[in-house]
Structures are given as structure tokens and as C-alpha cells.
Amino acid sequence: MLEGAELYFNVDHGYLEGLVRGCKASLLTQQDYINLVQCETLEDLKIHLQTTDYGNFLANQTNPLTVSKIDTEMRKRLCGEFEYFRNHSLEPLSTFLTYMTCSYMIDNVILLMNGALQKKSVKEILGKCHPLGRFTEMEAVNIAETPSDLFNAILVETPLAPFFQDCMSENALDELNIELLRNKLYKSYLETFYKFCKNHGDVTAEVMCPILEFEADRRAFIITLNSFGTELSKEDRETLYPTFGKLYPEGLRLLAQAEDFDQMKSIVDHYVVYKPLFEAVGGSGGKTLEDVFYEREVQMNVLAFNRQFHYGVFYAYVKLKEQEMRNIVWIAECISQRHRTKINSYIPIL
Amino acid sequence: MSGKDRTEIFPSRMAQTIMKARLKGAQTGRNLLKKKSDALTLRFRQILKKIIETKMLMGAVMREAAFSPAEAKFAAGDVGTTVIQNVKKAQVKIRAKKDNVAGVTLPVFEHYHEGTDSYELTGLARGGKRLAKLKRNYAKAVELLVELASLRTSFVTLDEAIKITDRCVNAIEHIIIPRIDIITEAGRTGARGGGTEPGGFSWEVSRMFRVEEKAEENLPGGAASGV
């Protein structure tokens, strides 16, 4: 779009970029993780977290401290930071940030749909929704009787509407398996997000597109791997692959025909980037493919900070913060269940 | 003892035979019951050993199973809510069957699967492997729990049965047999009836008395008629 982003970027987004870089500097380092791993109880963990940027976020918690409380508080904190970014952002950054929340919205919508169909109370489901995926029509979900009702009345107002239209006709909404629906929505969301970044051009496209391509390829691999031995047919599987990325189109066609992990590995031989990842599977420490992909994602997100004047830093920051939350929850679970053998399987970030 | 426990028996040869038969019956009954008690005790010990083994295994399996949600959450995010919301019917059910040990029916629980896995596609895009492992761990834990439940119900039932059987055995051995014993003993040794022996009657002596009575009857009659 606008060449020479260095000249114009800071006018609209300089403050927020500075802010997000400051937040990124407060992510836990390897030393912090070593300290956390050595804790004996959750109280120790809390004390150690007080010395980091988390500060006294657990100060108001009553005893006893549980892992889910830590998780909720961390999530609230991240949500607060994100809302601050969103409220202070201008176009097109605000659209970008809205795109980021879409993935959480998809999860929330699926949860609400399920709950509405099972006639569960809306309040308790709302409590379980991801705070980043909030949208204003959430409370109104229990009015709808069938999924098509739900779509017509409520979802059509949300940013998710185009994804639903992409997936299927409204009639098919009823019979579809909830997991297939979730994955189709996500595929459609990724494609739209990718197009948005690409159309924006400039440094954002240079940084975000590889990240999103990796996400698409990773989804294709994981879906294939997890669908071995289930009832998911090959055609159905192919409809869940996002249609962009390094694997598109030949790799996806080959993947759709794959029957087991070795066949997948032979397909990957054609793609230089992914070959070493597949080689790293197994080995000592029993890494699964997903672990390897998580590590790669973290690497790419950290690299995003090496360039300036693009929106990718926001995306990367949120993803890294999430990974950090997952790490802390993992360590906390290992400590509280006294199952310390795998406590070092967190994914180090910095 | 003597006052209350006196068994009133007519002192005849037939009564003695009947008493001896009863003694024999009591002894056979006691032996049969003892065999039953022994068989039950043997099974009891086996079950106890198995319970101990299963409990040890249970500890390890439960620990593993309790840790797998944490692993799954690390890879797949929070699937707990979706899973709980989608629950419709039980997949693993239990059937109760009966097992017979020496006449005692023991309930035995057997689990079976019904229906397909409705959570096959959960975690399709993230964490599927960990979720599969989680399912396997908990399935194993449930199987062990069912087995443990089965063993413990058998344990309790057997315990009751053994107590009752032992009580019968002891009752026969220490009360009924001695009682009959004393009657037959008294008959054999010819102890004088009355006094300190319960139900004490001397068969031979009383026979003698009968004979004497008869003789006296005849004698006075004869003597009377003789005069």
C-alpha cells in the first residue's frame, strides 16, 4: 500500500508499537523459568512471579491457590492489555486486532451453540468463554432454538458472518458435526486474515504472511495426523485444509491421500522448510509433532520483533504471551500434582 | 447346667440308636460345613491378594491419569467445557454377573463399551494425540476401578458368608455334638441317671429295673395266686 512505511507508521500507531514492545520486554526469561521450576509449592510460584512483571496479580486470591485461579488471573491481565491496545488503535490496526480476536470468537460461538442446543444456562457458559473473544450479542444466544435461527438472528451481526457463509448453506448448519464446523470456520477465518494482510502489503505482509502460511500448513499436518483412525473421510479432511501456504495446492492433495505418519514424512521430503521439523519428532524426550510446531511458531513470533513499523508485533506479542501462560500453567500443574518428571517440557521463549 | 439342659429321652434301645445316628449326622454336617468354610477362606485369601495388587496398580494409574488433563491442556487448550457439554449417554457401562463359590453367590462386575466415541474429532486441529492418550489413561483407570469394585463386593460378601459358616461350625462342634455325645456316652458307660449328669440314664440299669419290676409283678401275682 504505502511505501515508506517508516515515514507514516508512527503517526497513527507509534505509541501502541512502543507499548507492545515494552510489554514484550517483560516476558519471562530462561532464568525466570529456571526459578519457577525449582518451586516446591504454588505459594512459592506466586512469590517468584511477584518479582517478575506479573507483580501482585495474585494478591487478592483467597487460599488455597489453585492452578485454574492462576490461569484465570493471567488471562484477565492479557485481556486487559489487549483491550487497551484495541481501544487506542486506529484503522487499519483496529481491523487487524479484530481479526486476531476472531479465532477466540469462533471457539466461544461453538461453545454457545452447543450449550444453547443442550439447553444449558447461558450464564454458566458465558463464564467459560474466552474473554478475548467477547462480542456484544453473546448474551442473546439462548433465544435461538436451532442453529439456523442462531445464525440468522445473531451471528449475522458479528465479524464471523462471512466465515459462516463461506462454509456452507444455512440448512447444513444443523447436521454438521460441531468439530467439523469449528475447523471449517477456522479455515475460512485464516484465509480471510491472510488476504487482509496481503492486501495491506508493506512490512506487515512481509512479516505476517509467512507466519500465517506456517499456521495453515501446520493445521493441515495436524488435522491429517489426528484423523488417522477416525471416521473422517479423505474428502472431508481435504475440505478442512486452508487454501494457502507452502503446501497449497500439490502438498494438500498429497496429504489428503496420506494414510499414516510415514507417508506424511515422505510428502514432507519435498519441502525443505518442514523436513528438519519432522526429523526432530520422536528422538530423546519423546517430542510429538505438535511440540515441534509450537517451538517453530515461537521462533517465528520472536523474529517478528526484529522489524519495525508493522502490525505483526501485536499478533506475535499475544501469541507469545499465550505460550508463556501455557508454560506457567504447565509448571504449576507439575508442581501441584508432584509429577516433576516432565516439568521441563515447557517451551522456552526468550 | 444340669437343671436346664436336661434332654428328656425315653431310655430305650431305639432311642439310643437314634441318638447315635444323630451324632453321626451332626459330625458329617460339621465336616461339610468345615469344608465349605475352608473353600470360602481360600477364595477369600486369593481375593485379598488380588485387591492388594490392584490397589497398588490403581495408585500409579490414577496418578498418570490425573496428570494427562494437564498435558492435554498444554497442547490443546481448554477442551473440558466442550466435552462436558456434549455428554449424552454413557459409553462404558457395567453388567453384574453371579459367580458361585461353594454355594455362596458372589456378584461380579464386568464393563462393556456401548456406542461409538462421540469425541473422536475433538482436538482435530490441536492436541489430538494428547487427548487420545488422555482417553486411554482414563479408560484404563475406569477398568481398574470396576475390577476393584467387583473384588471388594466379593470380599464383603465372602466375609459375611465365612462368619456365618464358622459360627455354624463352632455351634455344632461345641454345643450340639457335646450334648448328643453326653447322652450316648451316658448310655455306654452305664452311669446312674439323675444327679449331676444331664439327661443321664443308664440303659442297662433301667433295663434291670424294668426286669425287676416285671419280675416283682409276676412274683406277687404268682405269690398271691400261689397262696
Side-chain angles (χ1 to χ4, degrees), chain A residues 27-45:
Chain A
L27 288 176
L28 296 184
T29 60
Q30 188 61 22
Q31 183 58 39
D32 291 319
Y33 281 121
I34 292 177
N35 287 341
L36 288 178
V37 161
Q38 286 168 347
C39 291
E40 291 292 322
T41 68
L42 289 184
E43 291 297 327
D44 283 343
L45 194 84

Side-chain angles (χ1 to χ4, degrees), chain B residues 92-108:
Chain B
V92 178
K93 299 195 183 164
I94 299 186
R95 258 195 290 256
K97 294 217 291 236
K98 293 215 183 295
D99 192 21
N100 192 312
V101 174
V104 178
T105 51
L106 300 176
V108 168

Side-chain angles (χ1 to χ4, degrees), chain A residues 86-265:
Chain A
R86 197 142 62 140
N87 290 339
H88 283 77
S89 63
L90 297 170
E91 288 294 339
L93 179 57
S94 22
T95 318
F96 186 88
L97 292 176
T98 313
Y99 266 113
M100 277 170 61
T101 62
C102 279
S103 66
Y104 304 108
M105 267 196 240
I106 292 177
D107 284 332
N108 286 350
V109 160
I110 298 281
L111 209 59
L112 288 166
M113 269 172 74
N114 234 351
L117 291 178
Q118 312 266 2
K119 308 277 180 279
K120 298 262 163 59
S121 110
V122 180
K123 285 241 172 312
E124 60 175 88
I125 309 176
L126 281 183
K128 304 255 167 64
C129 283
H130 198 291
L132 276 180
R134 253 180 217 299
F135 52 98
T136 40
E137 297 83 1
M138 270 170 96
E139 282 88 0
V141 159
N142 59 336
I143 307 173
E145 294 292 314
T146 69
S148 351
D149 254 353
L150 194 66
F151 175 72
N152 285 334
I154 296 153
L155 296 174
V156 86
E157 301 287 329
T158 66
L160 297 182
F163 309 146
F164 276 92
Q165 277 157 357
D166 250 347
C167 300
M168 66 216 80
S169 65
E170 287 160 27
N171 322 342
L173 217 58
D174 288 305
E175 301 99 48
L176 213 48
N177 186 328
I178 214 87
E179 288 298 323
L180 288 181
L181 178 61
R182 186 205 299 267
N183 284 309
K184 285 203 173 136
L185 286 175
Y186 203 88
K187 160 197 156 137
S188 159
Y189 151 69
L190 270 185
E191 287 169 3
T192 323
F193 195 10
Y194 184 75
K195 271 201 215 85
F196 172 79
C197 289
K198 214 169 179 143
N199 288 340
H200 191 271
D202 215 12
V203 189
T204 306
E206 282 173 39
V207 171
M208 281 305 295
C209 289
I211 294 182
L212 288 177
E213 279 170 14
F214 173 71
E215 186 65 30
D217 294 335
R218 169 202 200 181
R219 265 190 104 75
F221 282 129
I222 301 285
I223 289 178
T224 317
L225 190 60
N226 287 335
S227 62
F228 294 146
T230 67
E231 289 174 353
L232 195 63
S233 72
K234 296 202 171 124
E235 297 79 33
D236 279 333
R237 196 202 295 173
E238 196 162 1
T239 58
L240 299 178
Y241 297 152
T243 52
F244 64 97
K246 292 206 174 50
L247 288 178
Y248 174 73
E250 300 87 26
L252 291 182
R253 225 173 347 106
L254 287 173
L255 262 186
Q257 305 302 321
E259 304 251 332
D260 58 38
F261 185 67
D262 292 318
Q263 280 188 8
M264 276 174 69
K265 237 180 150 177

Side-chain angles (χ1 to χ4, degrees), chain A residues 282-297:
Chain A
S284 69
K287 274 200 197 150
T288 68
L289 190 60
E290 298 192 23
D291 291 331
V292 171
F293 279 148
Y294 267 122
E295 286 172 10
R296 180 103 169 94
E297 183 196 8

